[in-house]
Amino acid sequence: MYCAALDVGASGGKLFCGRFDGDRLSLETIHRFPHGPVSLQGNLYWDFLFLYQQMLQGLQKAAARTGKEMRSFGVDTFSNDFSFVDPAGRLLSPVFCYRDRRTQLRQAEIFSRISPKELYFSSGNQVALFNTAMQLGAMAAEGSPLLSPGSHRLLLLPDLLCYYLTGEMAGEYTVCSVSQLLDFSTRDWHGEILDRLTIPRELLPNIVEPGTPRGKISNIIRSETALPDMDVISVCEHDTASAFLASVAEEPAILISSGTWALVGLETDGPVINELGYRYNVANEGSCLGHHRVLKNVMGNWLFQQLKAEYHSRGEEYDYPDFERLAAQAPACRMLVDVDHPDFFTPGDVIGKLRQRAVYPGQTPPDDVRTYARCVYDSLALKYRWCVEKLEEVTGLHRNVINVMGGGARDTLSCQLTANACARRVISGPYEATALGNAMLQLISRGELRNVTQGRSVLRASFGAKEYTPEHPDFWNEQYQYFCEVFSL
């Protein structure tokens, strides 16, 4: 069986073709495209029409490769961003980027309606400016007419893409669960949060479970593109939920989905909402039944993306393998930052921000690309350890192994430093975890696989993994203690 999976991250997208022969799953990249936030008069947006166009181009390439054998399609993206659609299917607003400053400008008004602690204990989500709840709260504070009751509907980004393929409106559970508007006890929208933020319930779509068939590709799309008649499946549409499904660890593990964001988490049977979770701002996020996620967001490869862009503006070109190679030449832990300082959230002047926020355990290192790349590597690894320890404290669960998935699993330096800093074995892979989790759920939905457990066994057999063991424990324990003390963690 063939299926197609679209994975849209915050810096690019890829459409894959998966083939399952009953024992092994293979994955081929059919179409890839870069994208990023677009700045317009001080606001940040996503180019939704470009994303839609790239999705169709990718599907056409996949159909040309597989013919009529392509049976289904699923979409996963980053979370929290949305637009509104009227009954005729017209797009009523651009898609704001979650890094836009409007939530920062309006946070005092939002928290006057519902306090951060109330919001956390009601939703179980981390309190963060980028959440859908905060974006809608900012719109309410601005008096946006789009929040007036009416026949239009809000759709989160992956649901928006699925809608324009099928004509069917719905909200998939995992991506809705990250909005900070969901009630985990009912697996539906949280009425009190909506009321406190003055968000009409009728603007929100009905929620469907992951694995639910969304519908067929519409006749209009098929006539324009010659795509085959195939099912669109509501996979775990939040990209991290899809990535976590693709874990290849043979025992319960800490999971790190490493991309623009690094999501450090573990699976539980249900939400864990307590005082420690609020203190450490731990997020609860949905998945398939039995695979609830408790996690922390870490700034991740966003910092490397910003370094790449800043050096490009200076006429110097570096890519991610260059950063890995150059960082390996620099001494460890000579310059450290808390990668999650709010200064790093917005784009621009990343070198200035690193220098302003850095501490220097030893001699001040030189001002060069090796120093900054190594600073990001070391600081990320140390922050991962802090997240791992806090997650275990919040949940009462201990994990002996870390499974790094996604693009960061290709980075041998990052994986080794993660093992060193966290003092645990690291299993790396699969590299395209998000697309594989997407494809796995399509196969489950169509009855080709029984469940996630069988799917993970297929992934282990199909893709394997690489293992890293911790090195220099005394040095890294010392650096971690210093890191926690100096940044008051």
Side-chain angles (χ1 to χ4, degrees), residues 163-183:
Y163 167 71
Y164 281 112
L165 272 182
T166 66
E168 299 293 332
M169 288 191 185
E172 187 277 322
Y173 173 71
T174 67
V175 76
C176 293
S177 77
V178 189
S179 67
Q180 210 170 31
L181 296 171
L182 191 87
D183 184 341

Side-chain angles (χ1 to χ4, degrees), residues 116-142:
K117 190 167 188 176
E118 289 176 300
L119 196 51
Y120 183 83
F121 275 91
S122 296
S123 71
N125 279 148
Q126 63 184 319
V127 179
L129 292 176
F130 51 72
N131 285 334
T132 309
M134 296 296 289
Q135 296 190 49
L136 289 171
M139 291 177 67
E142 295 167 352

Side-chain angles (χ1 to χ4, degrees), residues 193-403:
I193 295 176
L194 295 176
D195 289 345
R196 298 281 286 277
L197 295 177
T198 64
I199 302 165
R201 168 63 180 85
E202 56 264 42
L203 295 184
L204 301 175
N206 292 329
I207 295 176
V208 299
E209 292 293 329
T212 301
R214 176 64 61 90
K216 300 281 189 179
I217 292 182
S218 71
N219 290 332
I220 294 175
I221 298 297
R222 292 184 64 201
S223 67
E224 294 174 348
T225 61
L227 288 172
D229 182 22
M230 60 180 177
D231 295 321
V232 177
I233 307 293
S234 287
V235 297
C236 286
E237 291 181 359
H238 182 211
D239 52 7
T240 309
S242 278
F244 273 33
L245 281 188
S247 172
V248 293
E250 296 193 52
E251 61 184 278
I254 294 290
L255 307 178
I256 301 180
S257 176
S258 177
T260 298
W261 289 94
L263 293 309
V264 183
L266 48 76
E267 292 183 321
T268 61
D269 292 332
V272 180
I273 305 171
N274 56 34
E275 287 286 348
L276 283 174
Y278 174 65
R279 181 192 307 173
Y280 301 134
N281 207 22
V282 166
N284 284 270
E285 299 180 356
S287 184
C288 298
L289 287 173
H291 294 271
H292 183 85
R293 297 171 292 136
V294 180
L295 54 81
K296 284 286 296 176
N297 282 45
V298 180
M299 202 65 73
N301 291 332
W302 166 253
L303 294 172
F304 289 118
Q305 293 168 16
Q306 290 296 292
L307 279 175
K308 184 174 187 269
E310 185 157 339
Y311 278 108
H312 172 76
S313 71
R314 299 180 179 189
E316 301 178 51
E317 300 297 335
Y318 298 102
D319 213 335
Y320 305 112
D322 298 319
F323 290 135
E324 181 180 6
R325 173 178 53 83
L326 293 167
Q329 299 170 7
C333 297
R334 292 277 293 277
M335 176 183 183
L336 299 172
V337 296
D338 181 355
V339 294
D340 294 319
H341 191 281
D343 283 358
F344 297 122
F345 182 73
T346 53
D349 191 29
V350 68
I351 290 175
K353 294 172 183 176
L354 288 171
R355 293 173 67 177
Q356 181 181 5
R357 295 298 171 189
V359 296
Y360 306 95
Q363 181 180 354
T364 303
D367 176 9
D368 62 14
V369 63
R370 293 175 179 81
T371 295
Y372 299 125
R374 185 64 192 232
C375 171
V376 174
Y377 271 106
D378 290 336
S379 301
L380 281 172
L382 290 166
K383 193 59 180 285
Y384 293 161
R385 175 167 172 175
W386 183 85
C387 291
V388 168
E389 292 185 355
K390 300 314 172 192
L391 287 167
E392 292 184 335
E393 186 179 352
V394 168
T395 63
L397 302 171
H398 179 74
R399 302 289 187 253
N400 293 316
V401 65
I402 296 172
N403 186 185

